[in-house]
Amino acid sequence: GENVEQHPSTLSVQEGDSAVIKCTYSDSASNYFPWYKQELGKRPQLIIDIRSNVGEKKDQRIAVTLNKTAKHFSLHITETQPEDSAVYFCAAPGGTSYGKLTFGQGTILTVHP
Amino acid sequence: DAGVIQSPRHEVTEMGQEVTLRCKPISGHDYLFWYRQTMMRGLELLIYFNNNVPIDDSGMPEDRFSAKMPNASFSTLKIQPSEPRDSAVYFCASSLGVGRQDTQYFGPGTRLTVL
């Protein structure tokens, strides 16, 4: 099955700085890579995703890049704000698991005012 | 749409008791997932259904755990007997399942405490 590794496990930045979270996956057949944000005590919610036919996708202050050759993808948050503080999860489907996602271990992002 | 609905939101029980968690997926979604989240183990997939049929239950920790989906709008996750190590937040999620790639929408979760 798919194996997803996520780094770093914790990330602390000053407000206004950029934050980058990286994930690697094992199954070369994976073709969909979502990122979820989970605030304290809340449910995980999708913030951005990328399909394998593109290398980068942006949505305001967040962007995701994908390198299929190296089998890694990254979340970039620019001009961080305190409300960006949360746990972020990456995920990948794997090649044979229809509908299923394997999640990374999560990154606790803290943005200091 | 109300989103994925889970009940109860909080459950406190004593070791050995039966616990039943409930989930109503988003109408029209073909896939339903049960996850468990703990600090130590992160977000773990327990089981998932496609069109009410269990597809992969390899994440179910042991025979004390069982899940059913009798119809497209309802699923249960049962723990019998419960143990303190089952304490966690249990999330239900659903997705359209178009092709193999689709957004999973999570419910608010059930926080289970087993004393």
Side-chain angles (χ1 to χ4, degrees), chain B residues 10-95:
Chain B
H10 302 273
E11 177 80 27
V12 180
T13 190
E14 293 189 344
M15 182 173 63
Q17 296 298 305
E18 177 179 296
V19 175
T20 299
L21 311 181
R22 298 173 176 79
C23 176
K24 176 179 169 56
I26 294 172
S27 177
H29 281 195
D30 292 334
Y31 284 85
L32 183 139
F33 307 83
W34 281 103
Y35 291 92
R36 177 172 68 176
Q37 187 174 41
T38 61
M39 288 294 292
M40 292 297 294
R41 300 176 69 88
L43 196 59
E44 302 175 273
L45 177 66
L46 301 177
I47 185 171
Y48 77 102
F49 297 82
N50 177 215
N51 292 322
N52 314 337
V53 176
I55 302 301
D56 183 350
D57 65 354
S58 60
M60 296 286 261
E62 49 198 274
D63 291 346
R64 298 184 297 106
F65 285 69
S66 63
K68 294 182 179 180
M69 192 165 187
N71 58 62
S73 59
F74 183 66
S75 178
T76 59
L77 177 68
K78 186 175 292 187
I79 308 173
Q80 166 63 19
S82 58
E83 297 182 3
R85 60 192 168 120
D86 301 330
S87 297
V89 179
Y90 291 81
F91 286 104
C92 175
S94 70
S95 72

Side-chain angles (χ1 to χ4, degrees), chain A residues 11-71:
Chain A
L11 180 58
S12 183
V13 300
Q14 289 296 127
E15 182 176 0
D17 288 350
S18 295
V20 181
I21 304 169
K22 299 180 180 180
C23 286
T24 61
Y25 60 98
S26 60
D27 191 332
S28 57
S30 282
N31 52 10
Y32 169 65
F33 306 93
W35 285 90
Y36 285 78
K37 175 183 180 182
Q38 185 178 25
E39 297 177 351
L40 188 62
K42 301 288 182 63
R43 73 191 79 186
Q45 291 191 295
L46 179 77
I47 55 170
I48 194 168
D49 58 19
I50 191 168
R51 317 260 169 184
S52 60
N53 56 343
V54 296
E56 184 176 7
K57 182 177 178 180
K58 289 183 180 180
D59 183 4
Q60 300 183 353
R61 296 186 297 107
I62 60 173
V64 57
T65 57
L66 171 64
N67 183 327
K68 287 217 72 180
T69 302
K71 291 191 284 187

